[in-house]
Amino acid sequence: MGKHVLIVDDSASIRQMVEHTLKTGGYQVTVACDGQEALDLCQKQHYDCVLTDQNMPRMDGLTLIKNLRGMASYGRTPILVLTTEASDDMKAKGRSAGATGWMVKPFNPENLLQVAAKVMP
């Protein structure tokens, strides 16, 4: 079984597209609808990578990243942000929160697989 990726996005269509892309690349996938659900899942199980949206109900991506980085088991885990937010200011906030990388929607499936392979060798 491949590396296990947690996908966090409030859009069902995005979750399905990202899940399909990663499964095609040989990854095991779990999905969450928002940051709070993702944090709950991460407290029960460890994932090799977290791919999160920024703008979500209950808990946004940056808050999720800060919470995960505060957990010993997620100190070095790759966390990628996949969002419509493309401003330098938002990317800087992502980096300071602890994001490993930033991808802007709509995403290119080949790009996503290349990035996944790079952060999860």
Side-chain angles (χ1 to χ4, degrees):
M1 189 49 89
K3 302 267 187 178
H4 198 164
V5 181
L6 176 62
I7 300 167
V8 191
D9 201 303
D10 57 329
S11 162
S13 59
I14 294 287
R15 285 195 309 271
Q16 288 170 340
M17 286 189 294
V18 174
E19 180 177 15
H20 175 75
T21 300
L22 290 172
K23 282 185 171 176
T24 302
Y27 296 95
Q28 189 181 346
V29 175
T30 298
V31 295
C33 298
D34 61 40
Q36 186 60 57
E37 183 182 359
L39 186 60
D40 293 345
L41 287 168
C42 289
Q43 288 168 339
K44 295 177 191 130
Q45 179 176 350
H46 189 270
Y47 298 92
D48 298 301
C49 180
V50 177
L51 183 66
T52 183
D53 185 19
Q54 165 52 21
N55 300 312
M56 299 176 287
R58 295 203 310 156
M59 183 188 293
D60 67 22
L62 293 180
T63 305
L64 172 63
I65 293 167
K66 288 175 188 167
N67 276 295
L68 290 176
R69 290 298 185 219
M71 295 165 59
S73 56
Y74 282 91
R76 296 186 151 306
T77 302
I79 302 175
L80 303 171
V81 181
L82 178 63
T83 182
T84 53
E85 297 276 354
S87 72
D88 289 340
D89 178 53
M90 192 51 97
K91 289 177 185 174
K93 286 179 180 167
R95 274 194 297 277
S96 68
T100 309
W102 196 276
M103 297 177 72
V104 178
K105 294 177 193 171
F107 73 96
N108 172 319
E110 285 176 23
N111 256 11
L112 179 60
L113 289 173
Q114 286 171 352
V115 170
K118 197 153 88 175
V119 300
M120 294 180 287

